[in-house]
Amino acid sequence: MGWLLFLAHTSLVLGVTLRVIMKRRPVGVSLAWLALIYAIPILGVATYILFGEVRLGRKRAERAKAMYRPYADWINVLVSRFPGQSFSVSEPALPIYELVKARLNMPMLSGNGMTLLEAPDRILGALQDDIRAARSSCYLEFYIWYPGGLADDIAFELIDAAERGVDCRLLLDSVGSADFFRSPWPTKLRNAGVKVVEVLPVGAFRLLFERQDLRMHRKLVVIDDDVAYTGSMNLVDPSCFKQSAGVGQWVDIMLRIRGPIVPIFWSLFVWDWEMETGERLLEQLEYHPISCLDNQLKLQLLPSGPFMGGDAIQQSLLTAVYQARRRLVLITPYFVPDDALVAALCSAADRGVEVQLILPERNNSRMVNYACNAFFDELLVAGVEIHLYGAGLLHTKCVLVDHQFGLVGTVNLDKRSLWLNFEMTLLIDDGKAMGDLLQLADGYLSKARQVKWLEWRRRPFRRRLLENLFYLLSPLL
């Protein structure tokens, strides 16, 4: 009996080892998995089976494959109807534009209007006003909806909108919005006519067929095919959200957008809706381009996630870093980069670019915080400035390149955002808009302390040990 168990155990470990080797992922990721499997064989094998490969589910994968061509054709026809789209992409942003166009068939469109919103009450107030004025549709997609405070006001506005005949739909992540789904709000909203869908639901039975840590991390609102929102803020009132975490209020931004790019946002929502429910909404839009926006703000939407564009978001990020000539600002709450990004940041600093990395001083994930700190030594030696924001949990996510272009959206600078989660990023090719975003970054810097190399080297040995331990696990975080 003992020999049979030994043979079964050995066969299982060797089988999973072969699976890891044949996947041909980055060497660091493969070695981290192999180390875990051989250090703790039973737990390591079980963890790999549950989380080691991207398994979105057979139905979703088949839908995504079948949906691509109809959506690509629809976007091409839509763009052909837009007037006044004769413009040139700026030279620094051109490589990213061409990459996204080739990988994702996403156009860049000019003639948009964009408002940067920072204060939570202003963000939720503007959203409330737009829902109140809605005539035909309100589509919202969030990772987290947390009941309480101003977030409840949004729910009441949706109920009122649905009762007056507006098509209201909600896509909310099952894990991120778990508190919402345990509250009375889903029933109240559905009873009023709001269509509420729990995205990527989790459960013990689903472990056998779907990877449970693949999450819908987008923040997306489209109202009347006329106004769109995206950024870093979930549908929460920061004064009510995670007050016991000891990190202060979450600090976020949202972009309120009008113009030709809005139906592209709309197409992303209805793509996610169809992938989750099987219901096609694509043919319902009859869009008439807004003619009143007399400016040249150029925007391009970059959706990312499993089965969507491969590594387009990672390559876009690396390209942005290598395009920097004078100043590069990276703002993110979670920084667990791969070797390629670390090398790109060090290279930028070495060639004289002012590289500023702005992170929250206190993070809600201790494990991620230790893994993040493990990269500081190499970056500080290369001349990268690291600033720790102390006035709350800085949750904004953006990369700003010179005074030329920026990437703003939902993507954290970690492997989970770059490879596993469904995310969205906006490429902004406009000097005026960049001025507003750089002013935002300077405001964050004024409330942050810069990490000094000599001070950092004096941190306790225990912290260094934990950082290096979690650094070994960083490919898996």
Side-chain angles (χ1 to χ4, degrees):
M1 185 67 178
W3 281 103
L4 288 175
L5 290 174
F6 175 78
L7 183 62
H9 172 265
T10 303
S11 299
L12 186 60
V13 170
L14 291 177
V16 174
T17 298
L18 182 63
R19 183 86 179 180
V20 172
I21 293 172
M22 295 305 292
K23 280 294 179 180
R24 287 182 59 85
R25 284 172 291 200
V27 173
V29 176
S30 296
L31 290 178
W33 276 117
L34 291 174
L36 184 63
I37 289 166
Y38 281 92
I40 319 173
I42 295 176
L43 179 61
V45 167
T47 303
Y48 182 82
I49 291 172
L50 294 177
F51 304 112
E53 298 178 10
V54 176
R55 293 176 294 123
L56 189 59
R58 181 180 58 83
K59 285 185 177 180
R60 290 190 186 90
E62 290 176 352
R63 282 176 188 155
K65 185 176 180 179
M67 287 160 54
Y68 177 79
R69 179 45 54 193
Y71 276 79
D73 292 343
W74 183 89
I75 288 175
N76 290 337
V77 170
L78 182 74
V79 172
S80 69
R81 297 175 180 171
F82 290 148
Q85 288 298 323
S86 178
F87 63 89
S88 59
V89 182
S90 70
E91 185 177 344
L94 186 60
I96 298 177
Y97 158 74
E98 291 177 336
L99 173 68
V100 174
K101 187 71 172 68
R103 293 278 185 89
L104 299 169
N105 193 50
M106 283 292 176
M108 178 174 280
L109 295 167
S110 181
N112 299 287
M114 186 179 79
T115 304
L116 172 63
L117 302 172
E118 302 175 47
D121 56 346
R122 189 180 174 205
I123 294 171
L124 294 172
L127 182 56
Q128 190 175 353
D129 290 343
D130 285 329
I131 295 173
R132 187 180 299 125
R135 303 178 306 278
S136 58
S137 62
C138 294
Y139 295 167
L140 291 80
E141 181 172 6
F142 285 93
Y143 175 60
I144 300 173
W145 183 320
Y146 185 83
L150 296 175
D152 289 352
D153 294 339
I154 302 297
F156 285 121
E157 289 296 344
L158 285 172
I159 288 173
D160 289 345
E163 289 178 344
R164 66 175 183 267
V166 175
D167 180 23
C168 297
R169 298 173 189 259
L170 279 178
L171 285 172
L172 301 174
D173 184 80
S174 177
V175 173
S177 299
D179 290 311
F180 174 86
F181 286 111
R182 286 194 292 263
S183 76
W185 279 113
T187 300
K188 291 180 180 179
L189 288 162
R190 286 172 177 140
N191 287 343
V194 179
K195 302 175 181 68
V196 182
V197 172
E198 184 177 357
V199 181
L200 298 171
V202 295
F205 179 72
R206 294 177 182 272
L207 284 171
L208 302 174
F209 307 101
E210 303 169 7
R211 181 167 170 172
Q212 298 291 276
D213 64 335
L214 302 180
R215 304 316 323 157
M216 180 62 72
H217 197 241
R218 292 175 182 147
K219 290 86 177 167
L220 168 63
V221 177
V222 184
I223 298 173
D224 282 350
D225 318 319
D226 178 50
V227 179
Y229 289 78
T230 192
S232 64
M233 186 170 169
N234 290 289
L235 218 164
V236 303
D237 184 337
S239 66
C240 304
F241 182 60
K242 293 193 175 182
Q243 291 298 293
S244 61
V247 295
Q249 288 194 14
W250 290 39
V251 177
D252 283 290
I253 64 168
M254 290 294 273
L255 304 176
R256 183 182 184 272
I257 298 161
R258 298 186 69 214
I261 198 70
V262 172
I264 308 299
F265 278 72
W266 183 90
S267 72
L268 181 58
F269 178 92
V270 299
W271 168 285
D272 290 338
W273 185 272
E274 182 174 347
M275 192 171 68
E276 194 64 30
T277 68
E279 181 185 4
R280 176 157 295 185
L281 305 175
L282 189 63
E283 290 80 11
Q284 294 187 11
L285 180 66
E286 294 182 5
Y287 183 71
H288 303 287
I290 297 173
S291 59
C292 61
L293 298 177
D294 186 21
N295 61 57
Q296 298 303 310
L297 174 60
K298 301 185 290 290
L299 301 175
Q300 184 182 35
L301 182 61
L302 200 174
S304 58
F307 310 124
M308 187 177 287
D311 61 349
I313 181 60
Q314 186 206 33
Q315 293 301 317
S316 297
L317 174 62
L318 291 174
T319 301
V321 174
Y322 281 114
Q323 288 293 98
R325 294 294 176 267
R326 297 183 301 279
R327 184 185 183 191
L328 174 66
V329 182
L330 303 98
I331 306 170
T332 182
Y334 309 110
F335 182 72
V336 188
D338 58 10
D339 292 340
L341 180 55
V342 172
L345 293 174
C346 292
S347 174
D350 287 339
R351 66 176 184 267
V353 177
E354 182 184 19
V355 182
Q356 297 174 313
L357 178 62
I358 309 176
L359 309 171
E361 186 159 22
R362 296 181 302 279
N363 199 297
N364 63 321
S365 172
R366 183 170 295 182
M367 188 164 59
V368 170
N369 195 55
Y370 280 125
C372 167
N373 291 348
F375 295 93
F376 283 11
D377 281 338
E378 185 176 356
L379 294 169
L380 288 169
V381 167
V384 174
E385 296 179 16
I386 299 175
H387 300 264
L388 301 181
Y389 179 88
L393 196 156
L394 182 60
H395 196 244
T396 302
K397 309 139 195 297
C398 62
V399 176
L400 310 177
V401 180
D402 298 329
H403 208 291
Q404 297 284 340
F405 71 92
L407 296 168
V408 181
T410 69
V411 175
N412 298 309
L413 299 184
D414 62 8
K415 296 175 181 67
R416 178 161 302 282
S417 273
L418 295 175
W419 295 103
L420 297 179
N421 290 341
F422 289 91
E423 307 276 5
M424 60 187 298
T425 302
L426 199 60
L427 172 59
I428 302 171
D429 185 18
D430 181 84
K432 182 179 183 300
M434 282 299 298
D436 294 338
L437 290 166
L438 287 169
Q439 186 176 1
L440 172 77
D442 289 336
Y444 291 156
L445 286 170
S446 69
K447 299 178 182 178
R449 66 175 181 89
Q450 185 173 351
V451 178
K452 300 297 184 181
W453 166 243
L454 292 178
E455 175 191 349
W456 182 249
R457 292 296 296 170
R458 291 196 295 267
R459 68 196 187 283
F461 174 78
R462 175 179 172 274
R463 279 190 59 187
R464 295 190 191 188
L465 180 63
L466 287 170
E467 289 164 7
N468 287 316
L469 173 63
F470 286 108
Y471 170 79
L472 295 175
L473 297 176
S474 64
L476 310 182
L477 295 177

